[in-house]
Amino acid sequence: MPPTSIRSVRLIRPVTIAAVLAVTVLSGCISMAPTYERPAAPVPNVWTPDVSASPATATAQPASALDWREYFADPQLRSLIDTALANNRDLRVALARVEQSRAVYGIQRADLFPALGVGASGTRQRLPGDLSLTGNPYISSQYQVGLGLSTWELDFWGRIRNLKDAALDDYLASDASRRALELSLISQVAQTWLSLREFDERIALAQQTVDSRAESLRIFTRREQVGSTSKLDLTEVTTLWQQARALVTQLEQQRATQAHALQVLVGVPIDTSPQALDRMADDASLMRDLEPGLPSSLLEDRPDIIAAEYQLRAAHANIGAARAAFFPQITLTGSVGTASSALDGLFKAGSAAWTFTPSINIPIFQGGRLVNNLDLAEARRVESVANYEKTIQGAFRDVADALSARRWLADQVTILQATQDAQAERARLAKLRYDHGAAAFLEVLDAQRDLLAIEQQTVQTRRALLSARVSLYTALGGGSRLMPAADTPGGAFARTPRVIEPVAPASPASPATAPTQTVQ
């Protein structure tokens, strides 16, 4: 090569390298994604008058800053929730999905960087004489060792970076969905536990009525035998007794269903018998008071709203990737190393070898694929916006319903308690009137039926009030500000599932020897 050519190569090579570096620096500086703006919340700025008048104590604090261990005061309920968070299968599925999303993000992020690899190859080839230029057969050898750069796309238009951002937003959305599921699980365990307490209390009241009416049946049976009362009165007493027994069996069946549901939520065998559940706790001391704050706070506190917004961000990033696909794709491929026809010639002076293969691909005609791909991304963004707004509306309604229920159910409990006291007095007076012959037994019958009904209704309404308080905690994103990400210290990935031996079936001969885990 002439000296001038050598000088030209020496001058061009730095310029080429500088140009490549400049393109690399510029890669990712352009983004085709539309500018993201959070959609306006389609809800009022204040709560409606029927719920905003709900009283809040001076010690109330935002639910999102209140950990569930502080909100639920009962130690038995805390133990159940803690066990459920460690063993619930739905939560494990959600954790696995978060891990999958994180891996997908890592894969997509790797496309931003060049893939380098060291390779070695050796080739020996024999050519017959009729294929050789000399007409004689010969054996050729080639050995090569080098550092190779796989096809690396220069992300000049931001396509890969937008795909990476979309994968990151999907990962963050899945983690927010996991936190929403965790909060929902806390609520479900608390609601089911309250239902069991309600059924135990209702069953106890119904059983007391059964015992009382059984004694009345014994007395009236004796009276009918001696002729001091009519057969009709005995029949009515028997009917009352049978009705109370039927109510007990119905409540027992419903309680069993709730106990099975709690077993599934907790994820391990537990003792859900009435003796294992605490029914003596005062309703007012089970949970703390909450301050709902402003509706706008839901946007930062509700995990499901946060997840919907991340999904909306991912849709914006996907639009950028779809737009960038219309522009040329520039890729680099190359290698540097050593090559020789003899194995011992590798790494000797003069054996250096390199290749550099830049390429550019300009889309011209793809049958409408790129246009339809962009239309698809745009349509998905519209869907994500609607889903985000729908999630906000649903959250607003959840809080409004819970606040309204907390207010009006408290009034109902007070009214029902006063009604129950009045009904108990009516039943007592009706019984006295009948014993003194001043009233027919039908009056006693009606009074006792109404008393049992109002007792059951009072217990149900008290439980509904407690459930409304649990629902309010969930609707306000209870403890969401304190929930760590899944991959942070103390996060969900760090939680070790509890390994508890399954409950062995009890043998007919010794039913009391079956091991169980008692709820504490």
Side-chain angles (χ1 to χ4, degrees):
M1 180 179 295
T4 55
S5 300
I6 295 177
R7 285 195 299 270
S8 299
V9 172
R10 290 177 178 175
L11 290 174
I12 292 174
R13 187 173 297 172
V15 173
T16 304
I17 295 174
V20 172
L21 292 176
V23 173
T24 304
V25 171
L26 290 175
S27 298
C29 294
I30 301 175
S31 177
M32 298 294 177
T35 303
Y36 174 78
E37 293 183 3
R38 175 187 286 180
V43 294
N45 296 325
V46 294
W47 303 111
T48 54
D50 64 319
V51 300
S52 60
S54 300
T57 64
T59 59
Q61 66 181 105
S64 58
L66 184 62
D67 187 68
W68 63 266
R69 296 175 183 84
E70 299 178 15
Y71 181 67
F72 298 105
D74 189 87
Q76 184 182 83
L77 179 56
R78 289 178 182 173
S79 176
L80 283 172
I81 294 175
D82 189 53
T83 305
L85 291 176
N87 297 278
N88 183 265
R89 301 311 187 269
D90 288 336
L91 191 56
R92 291 187 186 179
V93 171
L95 290 174
R97 290 174 179 170
V98 173
E99 186 69 15
Q100 295 171 27
S101 299
R102 183 171 63 171
V104 170
Y105 163 66
I107 294 172
Q108 193 63 58
R109 182 174 177 270
D111 290 340
L112 289 172
F113 307 99
L116 301 177
V118 176
S121 63
T123 304
R124 286 181 59 83
Q125 182 180 11
R126 180 186 183 279
L127 288 177
D130 57 352
L131 296 179
S132 171
L133 296 177
T134 62
N136 297 320
Y138 72 93
I139 298 176
S140 63
S141 301
Q142 182 178 353
Y143 301 94
Q144 188 172 3
V145 177
L147 177 65
L149 169 67
S150 300
T151 303
W152 175 40
E153 179 180 347
L154 297 178
D155 192 25
F156 189 75
W157 314 109
R159 186 184 72 87
I160 297 178
R161 193 175 80 254
N162 280 318
L163 291 176
K164 182 266 297 183
D165 292 342
L168 175 61
D169 289 327
D170 286 337
Y171 162 57
L172 295 175
S174 66
D175 189 47
S177 298
R178 186 269 310 172
R179 286 184 282 140
L181 179 61
E182 185 173 323
L183 182 58
S184 175
L185 177 61
I186 293 172
S187 174
Q188 291 180 55
V189 172
Q191 298 281 19
T192 308
W193 181 75
L194 290 174
S195 294
L196 285 178
R197 293 178 71 247
E198 173 201 342
F199 282 118
D200 286 341
E201 188 171 354
R202 292 178 63 189
I203 290 171
L205 290 172
Q207 189 60 51
Q208 292 176 6
T209 303
V210 169
D211 296 340
S212 174
R213 292 179 181 178
E215 178 64 17
S216 297
L217 178 60
R218 185 189 66 81
I219 296 174
F220 272 75
T221 300
R222 181 59 180 165
R223 288 181 178 180
E224 194 273 336
Q225 290 175 352
V226 299
S228 61
T229 190
S230 65
K231 184 70 173 180
L232 178 61
D233 289 346
L234 178 60
T235 304
E236 291 174 341
V237 172
T238 305
T239 301
L240 280 177
W241 176 62
Q242 295 290 3
Q243 288 175 346
R245 293 181 60 200
L247 178 60
V248 170
T249 58
Q250 292 173 5
L251 294 176
E252 289 284 4
Q253 186 271 330
Q254 295 174 14
R255 186 195 187 280
T257 301
Q258 291 296 315
H260 301 158
L262 184 61
Q263 291 274 0
V264 174
L265 290 173
V266 173
V268 294
I270 57 174
D271 185 3
T272 57
S273 63
Q275 295 76 18
L277 294 180
D278 179 18
R279 295 188 292 109
M280 304 305 295
D282 182 29
D283 290 354
S285 63
L286 288 178
M287 303 166 217
R288 295 180 57 175
D289 291 316
L290 295 176
E291 174 59 46
L294 296 176
S296 59
S297 63
L298 294 179
L299 302 182
E300 285 77 26
D301 295 337
R302 286 264 302 212
D304 56 342
I305 296 180
I306 296 174
E309 184 171 5
Y310 277 127
Q311 291 169 354
L312 179 57
R313 289 178 177 271
H316 276 72
N318 284 324
I319 291 177
R323 289 175 177 175
F326 286 89
F327 293 85
Q329 295 182 7
I330 303 174
T331 57
L332 302 179
T333 304
S335 66
V336 59
T338 177
S340 175
S341 60
L343 187 60
D344 58 356
L346 294 174
F347 303 105
K348 289 185 177 180
S351 65
W354 59 268
T355 61
F356 179 66
T357 311
S359 63
I360 182 170
N361 179 26
I362 302 176
I364 297 178
F365 175 75
Q366 295 192 10
R369 180 188 302 273
L370 298 180
V371 173
N372 286 292
N373 189 43
L374 179 57
D375 291 342
L376 176 61
E378 292 279 2
R380 286 178 174 170
R381 182 179 69 89
V382 174
E383 178 187 0
S384 298
V385 171
N387 182 65
Y388 174 73
E389 294 175 342
K390 178 182 177 181
T391 304
I392 293 177
Q393 290 176 336
F396 184 87
R397 178 183 175 180
D398 291 342
V399 176
D401 288 347
L403 287 172
S404 179
R406 185 181 69 170
R407 177 185 180 186
W408 299 116
L409 285 173
D411 294 342
Q412 292 179 40
V413 168
T414 303
I415 295 172
L416 286 172
Q417 190 63 56
T419 305
Q420 178 179 330
D421 295 340
Q423 192 63 44
E425 181 65 13
R426 175 197 169 196
R428 186 184 70 84
L429 295 176
K431 184 65 167 57
L432 287 176
R433 282 169 53 84
Y434 173 77
D435 291 340
H436 291 80
F441 189 73
L442 182 60
E443 182 178 336
V444 179
L445 179 67
D446 290 340
Q448 291 184 350
R449 284 175 176 171
D450 293 342
L451 177 59
L452 178 60
I454 198 65
E455 287 176 341
Q456 296 289 316
Q457 186 179 359
T458 301
V459 175
Q460 289 178 294
T461 307
R462 284 175 42 230
R463 195 273 305 164
L465 176 58
L466 294 174
S467 295
R469 296 172 65 183
V470 175
S471 298
L472 180 60
Y473 178 76
T474 306
L476 293 173
S480 58
R481 297 182 187 176
L482 308 177
M483 289 183 179
D487 55 353
T488 57
F493 288 149
R495 185 183 293 120
T496 303
R498 298 183 180 181
V499 179
I500 301 179
E501 295 296 330
V503 175
S507 61
S510 56
T513 59
T516 58
Q517 179 194 2
T518 302
V519 179
Q520 300 178 349

